[in-house]
Amino acid sequence: YRRQRQMCIRDRVCIGSSCHIKGSRLVVERLQVLVAEHGVGDKVDLSGTFCLGRCAEGVCVLADGELFSVSPDTVDEFFIENVLGKLGA
């Protein structure tokens, strides 16, 4: 008998000055709402980080080692495709 390991997505949102200006606070707030709405708080580790080195691209989100450029307008799509999609939810 082997216990199956529960999948967990680690999302790091850049809160450095450039990403802050581009809406990182709004991205974080929306991700928090989406995580709660979809009941995946036990499967998503959401936190802030500082510069991820792609300041010109928008709000940088590091999701399980993959870097994405997200905006307040695209955060829902990002969540559905790259968080729920990976969780199989």
Side-chain angles (χ1 to χ4, degrees), residues 2-76:
R2 194 190 290 176
R3 187 178 274 188
Q4 189 174 5
R5 191 176 139 204
Q6 185 175 10
M7 177 150 217
C8 183
I9 302 291
R10 294 187 66 185
D11 284 346
R12 304 287 175 259
V13 180
C14 179
I15 55 172
S17 57
S18 180
C19 287
H20 175 73
I21 290 169
K22 293 174 182 158
S24 65
R25 182 182 57 81
L26 297 172
V27 169
V28 169
E29 289 173 354
R30 183 63 185 151
L31 285 172
Q32 289 172 328
V33 167
L34 290 166
V35 165
E37 283 179 355
H38 290 273
V40 292
D42 60 331
K43 298 175 184 158
V44 177
D45 177 18
L46 179 63
S47 68
T49 188
F50 287 100
C51 191
L52 293 168
R54 292 206 174 149
C55 301
E57 294 181 26
V59 178
C60 292
V61 178
L62 188 63
D64 272 355
E66 190 174 352
L67 196 57
F68 296 88
S69 178
V70 180
S71 74
D73 294 332
T74 63
V75 68
D76 286 50

